[in-house]
Amino acid sequence: MELFDLLIKLALVVAVFTIALVIAMYSTYAERKVAAFLQDRLGPNRAGPYGILQPLADGGKMFMKEEIIPSKADTFLFILGPCIAMMTACMTGVVIPWGNTLIIDGKAYIMQVTDINVGILFAFAVVSIGVYGIMIGGWASNNKYSLLGAIRASSQMISYELAMGFSIIALIMTTGSLSLRDIVEQQSGFHWNFLYQPLGCLLFIICAFAETNRAPFDLPECETELVGGYHTEYSSMKLGFYLFAEYINMFISAAIISALFFGGYNFPFLDKIDAPHNVITLIGTAIFFAKIIFFIFFFMWVRWTLPRFRYDQLMHLGWYVLLPISILNVLVTGAVTLFRNGQFHF
Amino acid sequence: MSVIAFYILTVLCIFSALMVVFSKKPVHSVLYTIFCFFNIAGHFLLLNAQFLAIVHIIVYAGAIMVLFLFTIMFLNLNAEVEPHKSNLLKVAAVVCGGLLLLILVSCLKGAENIPVNPMLDTQMGMVKNLGMVLYNEYMLPFEMLSILFLSAMVGAVLLGKKETK
Amino acid sequence: MDSLIVLLIPLLPLIGFIISGTLNKQANHTLINGLTCGSVFVSFLLSVILFYQLQSGSAPISYKLLNWIYVGALKLDLSFTVDALSSIMLLIITGIGFLIHVYSTGYMHDEPDYARFFSYLNLFVFFMLLLVMGNNFVVMFVGWEGVGLCSYLLIGFWFKNNAYNDAAKKAFVMNRIGDLGFLIGMFLILNKFGSLNYQTVFDLASHAATNDPTITVICICLFIGALGKSAQIPLYTWLPDAMAGPTPVSALIHAATMVTAGIYMIVRTNVLYTLSPDAGFLVAVMGVATALFAATIGLKQNDIKKVLAYSTVSQLGYMFAALGVGAYETGMFHVITHAFFKALLFLCAGSVIHAMSGEQDIRSMGGLRKKLPITHITFFIGTLAISGFPPFSGFFSKDEILAKVHEYNGGFMLFTILAITSVITAFYMFRLYWLTFWGNFRGNSHQASHLHESPKSITIPLILLAVFAASAGLIGLPHLFHAPHLLNNFLAPVIINAPTLEASASFEIALIVVSLIVLALVTYITYQIYVAKARIPVADADEKGISKWVANKYYIDELYNALITQPLQAVSTFANNYIEKYVIDGTVNSFRWLTNTGSLLIRQIQTGSIGLYIFGIVIGIICMFVFKFYLA
Amino acid sequence: MNIISEVGINSYLWLAAILFSIGVMGVLFRRNAIIILMCIELMLNAVNILFVAFSVMHNNPAGQIMVFFIMAVAAAEVAVGLAILILMYRNMGSVDIDTMKKLKW
């Protein structure tokens, strides 16, 4: 591997990491602004123009706060929890294709950290590991509220992982590939997957909400019921990690939703534009980010619009509604695929 | 480079496996188990079995160990709860394990003479390839596995249900 | 087509058995009648067809159902062959069987287990057909055992009566003794000729030397089988007891068909018997002895069926006498005539018993001829036939037997005994006849008011049988009349190398004249005793001297009891008390003790501690590895 | 590049043997049924490593399929096993295997 290639990868990694952090940071700001907008008020407007420096101020506050580690807590795990949450949140970014190829010096470089052929499974695996961050944190606090919050969070995530997995399976059946890049490239033009998998798309979005613990599925940290859920005992930057991880998760989820179902960096009439390849790639990347930002906004929009589920309603929805529907979706998709391939004999 | 990776993974693997056994707290054991499984997944990656590596993480780390952690949290097991075995038994256990290792290693002696296939088929561990084999040659075991799962699920639900009179 | 008929003949009764056997007790009588009687009747018609084909000179007709036992050199088929001999047996079995089926529909009308009875009857017909149709000894043996089974089932038909069950068991056990002989004979045949197929065995045997000791032993073994099945001395005691079964059963199984299986077997193996004059002589002697012996017992019996039973034993003795001297056709001739008149007599007896509401003792009868005219006439015909009055059928067959025995080298003694027996036969038959149908009624008032002639389903078979009993002798006219001996001609292809015994015409005339005079005398004497003087036999307990012996059947049952049963009983009691208790129980109990003590010790290992178990497992695995890789 | 030709199949055999023995030792060493179950998982994974190694070595995908089956069986086993453990805990208040001594005469 040449040094230059390595440098490009490194740059890409740094870029992705930075962009993720920045977007996550400004999501907190955006969240308040959107909330204010939806509730017809102003929102943060003191730090800098339009309050644009508010995330930095929040960060400073987080760093300055006192570190508290409960005396009966398992210290190592207490620290490990937020780290795992943060780490898993950031890891998914490596398989997301941020854009098409860039041609530098006659050689094509993909705008993706790595294109592993089981990318979608990798994303799924990382998401499933994300549970540990919450569970360990909640358990290590040695606090009953934290433990309850952690158990709620993890059972919620496990429950919705099933429906999510099934919707991905249905998607894979139509695309025939596990590589995210292949999936995105198949959607060039306007062959976006949500047209072929409308039900799967809906299911995936709902499950993504639950996986990121966003309203209306934000039971694990619901402020009023469980005193802050699994991170009751956390303070300062460890709390910041958890909150940050949530926003990164949101960003990554939006990216995956866009990539899987809404064409990724593809946009209609792509082939109509007469421009150099690199320019088109950059336009595609910009469009991809536009989609991501729309979905982040969508997340916030939903949060400030819909009321929260009760816990039993949440479980009921997961096991009795989403799971059967997703299985049905798989069956129908399979039948249609066989039928289209002419392998279906009545 | 991959040789170095192999040894790092191996050492971590054995270390975490030992820690599984010797950790005082069950939760630590679980976490070490997860860590061990990650290392094993790394071994799979080294062996070019990417699909298996990811599935290994999803199944073991993502599902099975979560269940363990869950159970431990539910039952609220800590180090204090577990009664100690007598030292004699512990020594016996270690001796037994060591003996087994000795026997296994000595029995496996000579395996290095088995010829290694020099041509590495990089496509072998791919989903498509495995799927072809699984759904053609191993169709019946696969179907039976589904029955096994169904019965395990029914059994688990039945066992976990509170008795209602 | 012909082969299909051969298959259908036994198959139809089997189907009848299966269907009627699976019907429940409440099944419609009409349905059962149609099924069982119909199947036998169709078989009869098919048998007639086969008979005519054989009559017109056709070769034996075979049907091979399947390859049955193929072991090494032994190749046995389950196949049926109908030749002249089996054809005659077929006619007897299905013809008389059909008449008795019809008779039974009337006789068993009120029986609750109607379907069971008829299914047994059909099963019997099936096995009997198997017995006579098989083309090898094994098929015959299957039929042989099958009819034994049916006999057992039917004797014990009213199984709620323990005495009947005992009679059934007795018949079964006695038959087993004979069957052992038959089996040994079969094995010897297999050993000597390497096959059990009739054709193969007889072809080989026709080249064998006369007086071959193996063949003599084979013949004697087979004859032991015949002794059991055909109720000859010493295995005859089951037959009188077998009268416990319903009367149609006595007529069909214990008079007309099954008991003649022994005769059939010997006629079938006539090649072997011809080769062994010694065995033949033994057969003749046993036959003659049985004839005389059973006849004397018949003189003192007062149960109407018992008299007939002993007479059956006696008549079977005649047949064996004929077979023993090598007159196989004559034996068959008597089988045919005996089948008619003995079935007739039994059915008449059934009709009488029916009318008497189950009473079987002739001392309680008398004067029935007015109330039961048809039964009376037919019974009279049967009596004349069995006594040998010319021109009834019994005369011709018995006359032929006497003539043949007389011609037998050194057979004068036998002839004399048979002649005397013939007189005794006439005596006890007329005694029975007079006591039953003449004189005054000696039963109680209830029976008197109940007396009536039987329904048509009973009387029609009686009339038909009476016609045959009267006329069947025409198929075997003596030389005297210069008419062809139809039966002998028909059977000629089956009988090979038999010695020719021809009586002179003057002897035959003398025989006829003498027998007529003697029989007339006997008739007159018995009339004088039992009708004119109205002497009623006294109760058994009041008998004195020799007649007491005779009335008690020479104490043969008691003799068997003392000689065989009691010692056996004693030995088994001893075995039960000592060997069973100390040796066998002791062995078993010591094992029990061993298990108990051992498990008491061993179960200490089962501590319930899973940890220890796992230790055991691991150590076991280590040991296995060590063993596999280092010790093995 | 084939990792097996670099480190040799013996290394994998050793690794698997060590992992397996550690699993066995854990089963003997601990009394907590949950940890015993985990040790069983360790043993299964030792086998898995060998399967994959030999699969690569002989260029035969059947070994990897077998790993697949082992994972599935392990999942089923854990589901039922943990259900039994929870039941045991409910009834006896402990998951110590030595408290389960009813399995005797």
Side-chain angles (χ1 to χ4, degrees):
Chain A
M1 200 182 273
E2 288 175 37
L3 187 66
F4 185 65
D5 295 0
L6 268 180
L7 281 177
I8 291 266
K9 287 286 180 209
L10 191 67
L12 208 56
V13 169
V14 171
V16 167
F17 191 62
T18 320
I19 291 170
L21 287 183
V22 169
I23 288 188
M25 211 161 81
Y26 271 88
S27 294
T28 59
Y29 170 70
E31 178 116 61
R32 294 190 193 180
K33 276 294 187 191
V34 170
F37 170 68
L38 288 174
Q39 292 168 352
D40 201 13
R41 51 187 175 84
L42 286 178
N45 58 357
R46 300 288 152 169
Y50 303 103
I52 206 154
L53 298 177
Q54 185 67 37
L56 294 178
D58 284 345
K61 182 193 76 177
M62 286 286 186
F63 273 114
M64 295 305 162
K65 275 196 166 180
E66 187 191 355
E67 285 264 5
I68 297 173
I69 295 179
S71 61
K72 289 274 183 175
D74 186 322
T75 319
F76 176 68
L77 293 185
F78 191 74
I79 298 168
L80 187 68
C83 297
I84 291 176
M86 192 70 186
M87 195 177 71
T88 54
C90 294
M91 264 168 73
T92 326
V94 297
V95 290
I96 293 171
W98 302 103
N100 209 338
T101 50
L102 276 176
I103 298 176
I104 300 168
D105 208 14
K107 201 173 173 188
Y109 295 94
I110 50 170
M111 299 253 310
Q112 184 179 8
V113 178
T114 174
D115 175 25
I116 60 176
N117 55 13
V118 284
I120 198 163
L121 285 184
F122 175 82
F124 195 68
V126 172
V127 168
S128 64
I129 290 162
V131 184
Y132 289 111
I134 292 170
M135 285 182 89
I136 290 171
W139 185 80
S141 308
N142 206 4
N143 176 328
K144 286 198 170 58
Y145 293 107
S146 301
L147 187 65
L148 278 178
I151 287 175
R152 282 182 162 209
S154 44
S155 44
Q156 168 185 333
M157 288 174 86
I158 291 169
S159 307
Y160 281 79
E161 249 171 40
L162 290 171
M164 194 177 184
F166 275 116
S167 68
I168 290 178
I169 285 173
L171 181 73
I172 292 166
M173 285 162 88
T174 56
T175 60
S177 171
L178 290 176
S179 160
L180 276 169
R181 187 160 200 86
D182 285 356
I183 292 172
V184 170
E185 275 177 0
Q186 280 174 359
Q187 302 179 66
S188 70
F190 200 62
H191 298 293
W192 293 1
N193 274 334
F194 80 94
L195 295 174
Y196 302 109
Q197 279 289 327
L199 193 58
C201 176
L202 185 67
L203 286 169
F204 191 87
I205 292 173
I206 293 172
C207 294
F209 272 84
E211 289 291 316
T212 51
N213 297 329
R214 290 288 303 184
F217 303 104
D218 55 347
L219 272 296
E221 50 178 312
C222 57
E223 292 87 346
T224 47
E225 284 180 46
L226 290 172
V227 211
Y230 56 88
H231 47 57
T232 307
E233 296 287 350
Y234 282 91
S235 65
S236 91
M237 205 52 211
K238 290 201 285 299
L239 176 65
F241 267 28
Y242 273 127
L243 298 180
F244 229 76
E246 183 186 324
Y247 283 100
I248 297 176
N249 272 335
M250 201 162 84
F251 167 63
I252 297 292
S253 299
I256 288 180
I257 291 170
S258 320
L260 286 182
F261 291 99
F262 293 93
Y265 51 75
N266 289 302
F267 53 93
F269 317 115
L270 184 92
D271 45 346
K272 298 283 192 301
I273 299 168
D274 187 23
H277 181 79
N278 285 355
V279 175
I280 293 180
T281 302
L282 290 175
I283 293 174
T285 307
I287 289 206
F288 187 41
F289 274 96
K291 286 173 186 168
I292 292 170
I293 286 165
F294 167 75
F295 277 107
I296 291 175
F297 169 68
F298 182 69
F299 271 75
M300 293 167 182
W301 183 10
V302 168
R303 174 172 181 184
W304 296 109
T305 310
L306 295 180
R308 178 185 299 137
F309 279 110
R310 221 168 49 220
Y311 194 71
D312 59 324
Q313 290 171 332
L314 176 132
M315 281 297 169
H316 188 272
L317 180 70
W319 287 101
Y320 290 93
V321 181
L322 295 185
L323 189 61
I325 289 178
S326 61
I327 292 174
L328 190 72
N329 189 32
V330 169
L331 290 179
V332 171
T333 309
V336 171
T337 311
L338 281 179
F339 184 65
R340 280 179 54 190
N341 295 351
Q343 290 162 313
F344 204 70
H345 305 291
F346 287 99
Chain B
M1 196 173 102
S2 46
V3 177
I4 298 166
F6 172 84
Y7 284 114
I8 292 172
L9 285 174
T10 302
V11 168
L12 287 178
C13 205
I14 291 169
F15 166 74
S16 51
L18 283 173
M19 289 310 289
V20 171
V21 177
F22 294 112
S23 293
K24 284 262 183 311
K25 292 185 181 173
V27 173
H28 287 194
S29 282
V30 171
L31 294 177
Y32 279 117
T33 317
I34 296 164
F35 188 59
C36 184
F37 288 166
F38 271 110
N39 287 313
I40 289 169
H43 274 300
F44 287 176
L45 276 181
L46 275 183
L47 286 164
N48 211 34
Q50 299 172 19
F51 177 66
L52 221 51
I54 295 293
V55 168
H56 195 266
I57 289 175
I58 293 178
V59 171
Y60 274 111
I64 294 181
M65 294 323 291
V66 173
L67 275 184
F68 274 106
L69 204 55
F70 233 81
T71 314
I72 289 173
M73 285 187 182
F74 264 131
L75 306 187
N76 201 18
L77 298 173
N78 338 326
E80 300 88 56
V81 175
E82 187 177 345
H84 294 290
K85 274 195 171 176
S86 68
N87 282 330
L88 179 73
L89 272 181
K90 285 184 177 176
V91 170
V94 174
V95 168
C96 244
L99 252 167
L100 186 68
L101 175 64
L102 207 68
I103 291 290
L104 278 179
V105 166
S106 64
C107 289
L108 293 171
K109 212 167 61 183
E112 68 269 16
N113 299 327
I114 303 171
V116 178
N117 190 348
M119 287 295 293
L120 178 64
D121 183 2
T122 48
Q123 288 306 306
M124 195 186 66
M126 298 302 131
V127 192
K128 199 165 186 172
N129 223 319
L130 289 183
M132 282 300 184
V133 179
L134 180 62
Y135 292 113
N136 284 317
E137 288 171 39
Y138 293 90
M139 193 63 205
L140 184 67
F142 183 77
E143 294 290 347
M144 284 162 79
L145 207 60
S146 65
I147 294 170
L148 171 76
F149 263 122
L150 187 67
S151 45
M153 191 175 80
V154 172
V157 169
L158 197 71
L159 286 171
K161 232 172 77 175
K162 280 210 174 81
E163 276 178 48
T164 45
K165 293 278 166 74
Chain C
M1 181 59 206
D2 292 340
S3 323
L4 192 67
I5 292 176
V6 171
L7 176 66
L8 273 179
I9 290 174
L11 196 62
L12 285 169
L14 180 66
I15 292 169
F17 156 69
I18 290 171
I19 298 177
S20 59
T22 44
L23 290 173
N24 62 7
K25 278 189 180 180
Q26 280 76 39
N28 191 342
H29 283 198
T30 321
L31 175 68
I32 296 169
N33 294 345
L35 237 152
T36 55
C37 302
S39 66
V40 178
F41 185 61
V42 175
S43 286
F44 173 64
L45 291 181
L46 296 173
S47 306
V48 170
I49 293 172
L50 287 184
F51 176 74
Y52 272 106
Q53 291 203 337
L54 288 165
Q55 175 89 14
S56 54
S58 165
I61 304 155
S62 302
Y63 181 85
K64 182 176 159 187
L65 190 59
L66 46 91
N67 298 345
W68 191 22
I69 301 175
Y70 274 59
V71 183
L74 177 64
K75 291 191 171 36
L76 280 180
D77 300 324
L78 185 55
S79 59
F80 308 121
T81 302
V82 176
D83 59 3
L85 179 58
S86 9
S87 168
I88 288 176
M89 290 302 287
L90 285 187
L91 286 178
I92 297 174
I93 295 160
T94 53
I96 294 181
F98 170 65
L99 289 177
I100 291 173
H101 269 73
V102 173
Y103 177 92
S104 305
T105 59
Y107 190 80
M108 302 297 285
H109 191 264
D110 302 324
E111 173 60 40
D113 262 344
Y114 194 77
R116 182 162 68 90
F117 179 77
F118 275 88
S119 67
Y120 286 170
L121 274 192
N122 261 27
L123 183 65
F124 169 77
V125 171
F126 164 71
F127 276 125
M128 195 67 205
L129 292 172
L130 209 61
L131 194 160
V132 300
M133 289 174 75
N135 84 336
N136 58 51
F137 283 98
V138 182
V139 178
M140 189 209 265
F141 187 69
V142 170
W144 187 273
E145 293 298 312
V147 292
L149 168 72
C150 293
S151 161
Y152 167 77
L153 290 173
L154 284 165
I155 295 169
F157 180 73
W158 290 306
F159 52 80
K160 286 177 184 158
N161 184 328
N162 245 347
Y164 293 178
N165 285 341
D166 289 344
K169 274 186 275 182
K170 186 173 181 180
F172 206 72
V173 171
M174 286 230 153
N175 268 304
R176 283 295 73 67
I177 299 169
D179 292 343
L180 182 65
F182 188 8
L183 264 180
I184 294 172
M186 265 169 58
F187 293 146
L188 286 173
I189 290 171
L190 185 61
N191 193 32
K192 171 116 180 121
F193 299 106
S195 170
L196 286 169
N197 191 295
Y198 296 149
Q199 201 57 50
T200 324
V201 171
F202 299 154
D203 283 351
L204 287 171
S206 55
H207 304 305
T210 313
N211 272 329
D212 184 327
T214 320
I215 292 184
T216 305
V217 174
I218 290 172
C219 289
I220 291 173
C221 285
L222 292 180
F223 179 54
I224 292 171
L227 286 181
K229 193 58 82 186
S230 296
Q232 298 296 294
I233 291 175
L235 300 176
Y236 73 98
T237 54
W238 66 270
L239 186 62
D241 286 9
M243 296 301 125
T247 309
V249 172
S250 308
L252 178 61
I253 301 184
H254 305 121
T257 53
M258 186 187 85
V259 290
T260 62
I263 319 288
Y264 166 80
M265 192 244 281
I266 289 180
V267 175
R268 176 56 80 194
T269 54
N270 64 73
V271 180
L272 301 178
Y273 279 90
T274 306
L275 285 175
S276 171
D278 296 348
F281 183 68
L282 179 70
V283 173
V285 169
M286 293 300 279
V288 170
T290 311
L292 176 66
F293 192 70
T296 53
I297 298 175
L299 277 174
K300 277 292 177 187
Q301 291 300 309
N302 292 324
D303 181 318
I304 184 166
K305 284 179 74 179
K306 284 276 169 69
V307 176
L308 292 175
Y310 279 107
S311 125
T312 304
V313 175
S314 164
Q315 297 299 314
L316 288 166
Y318 269 97
M319 296 172 204
F320 278 107
L323 300 182
V325 303
Y328 304 106
E329 307 95 322
T330 314
M332 277 310 290
F333 188 20
H334 201 55
V335 166
I336 297 167
T337 56
H338 175 257
F340 286 124
F341 61 66
K342 189 49 66 64
L344 170 64
L345 288 169
F346 264 115
L347 294 188
C348 288
S351 176
V352 168
I353 293 165
H354 194 66
M356 294 288 294
S357 314
E359 178 60 60
Q360 299 194 6
D361 194 330
I362 49 174
R363 284 169 296 197
S364 306
M365 298 178 186
L368 294 179
R369 68 180 190 282
K370 291 167 204 135
K371 297 282 187 180
L372 305 166
I374 297 173
T375 309
H376 166 235
I377 300 286
T378 50
F379 192 91
F380 185 58
I381 293 171
T383 309
L384 290 177
I386 192 173
S387 309
F389 263 101
F392 293 96
S393 60
F395 165 73
F396 291 102
S397 54
K398 214 182 272 186
D399 181 55
E400 204 173 312
I401 291 173
L402 286 172
K404 294 274 166 98
V405 172
H406 183 259
E407 296 305 313
Y408 182 61
N409 186 18
F412 186 73
M413 188 69 193
L414 300 177
F415 167 76
T416 318
I417 297 171
L418 280 185
I420 294 169
T421 308
S422 183
V423 176
I424 298 172
T425 306
F427 191 92
Y428 67 71
M429 279 314 295
F430 273 101
R431 167 178 174 269
L432 178 65
Y433 168 69
W434 299 128
L435 281 173
T436 308
F437 290 98
W438 291 71
N440 299 318
F441 186 66
R442 297 181 291 272
N444 56 34
S445 59
H446 170 71
Q447 287 166 335
S449 64
H450 192 257
L451 280 176
H452 62 282
E453 181 59 283
S454 301
K456 281 211 174 60
S457 60
I458 289 182
T459 53
I460 288 173
L462 291 183
I463 294 166
L464 282 173
L465 281 171
V467 170
F468 283 114
S471 60
L474 297 177
I475 61 169
L477 293 177
H479 266 275
L480 192 62
F481 298 102
H482 298 291
H485 197 297
L486 297 174
L487 182 71
N488 287 11
N489 295 344
F490 184 64
L491 283 176
V494 186
I495 314 296
I496 304 159
N497 295 341
T500 43
L501 302 163
E502 285 300 342
S504 61
S506 55
F507 177 75
E508 291 206 349
I509 293 172
L511 204 58
I512 293 171
V513 173
V514 171
S515 64
L516 256 176
I517 295 169
V518 171
L519 286 175
L521 211 61
V522 167
T523 315
Y524 176 73
I525 293 168
T526 48
Y527 180 81
Q528 283 300 318
I529 297 172
Y530 295 108
V531 183
K533 293 185 184 163
R535 288 248 313 260
I536 309 304
V538 292
D540 289 349
D542 300 337
E543 297 280 2
K544 297 242 163 33
I546 292 178
S547 57
K548 185 175 179 183
W549 266 66
V550 177
N552 283 309
K553 307 159 210 164
Y554 298 109
Y555 297 102
I556 292 293
D557 275 327
E558 287 76 3
L559 184 71
Y560 285 177
N561 193 23
L563 278 184
I564 297 167
T565 318
Q566 294 292 356
L568 258 181
Q569 197 88 36
V571 169
S572 43
T573 311
F574 170 79
N576 183 39
N577 286 351
Y578 296 96
I579 297 177
E580 168 79 15
K581 197 171 171 186
Y582 295 109
V583 180
I584 296 176
D585 276 4
T587 315
V588 173
N589 282 341
S590 62
F591 276 111
R592 192 264 302 151
W593 178 87
L594 200 68
T595 316
N596 219 1
T597 319
S599 50
L600 257 175
L601 285 173
I602 293 170
R603 73 178 170 192
Q604 302 298 329
I605 296 171
Q606 197 183 0
T607 55
S609 162
I610 298 166
L612 276 178
Y613 293 173
I614 300 171
F615 259 111
I617 292 169
V618 172
I619 289 167
I621 290 169
I622 290 172
C623 291
M624 267 164 59
F625 268 106
V626 169
F627 183 78
K628 177 81 178 66
F629 285 92
Y630 296 104
L631 300 181
Chain D
M1 215 36 207
N2 194 338
I3 179 78
I4 291 180
S5 44
E6 287 180 44
V7 299
I9 188 72
N10 247 14
S11 315
Y12 279 101
L13 286 174
W14 271 82
L15 171 62
I18 292 171
L19 270 185
F20 191 86
S21 303
I22 291 174
V24 169
M25 191 177 68
V27 168
L28 297 176
F29 196 80
R30 299 295 292 252
R31 300 173 66 174
N32 189 333
I34 291 181
I35 291 176
I36 287 175
L37 272 182
M38 284 194 286
C39 290
I40 292 170
E41 296 298 314
L42 273 185
M43 289 192 262
L44 287 176
N45 271 290
V47 176
N48 280 355
I49 288 180
L50 266 193
F51 263 121
V52 176
F54 279 120
S55 155
V56 171
M57 184 170 153
H58 295 300
N59 220 346
N60 183 351
Q64 304 196 15
I65 300 296
M66 208 48 74
V67 174
F68 215 78
F69 287 146
I70 291 176
M71 281 184 203
V73 171
E77 169 227 319
V78 165
V80 177
L82 288 179
I84 291 172
L85 281 189
I86 289 177
L87 210 61
M88 179 184 163
Y89 188 80
R90 241 185 240 157
N91 285 328
M92 307 193 196
S94 157
V95 288
D96 183 353
I97 54 162
D98 284 351
T99 58
M100 279 220 297
K101 284 203 171 176
K102 299 238 165 105
L103 276 174
K104 64 174 182 180
W105 56 277

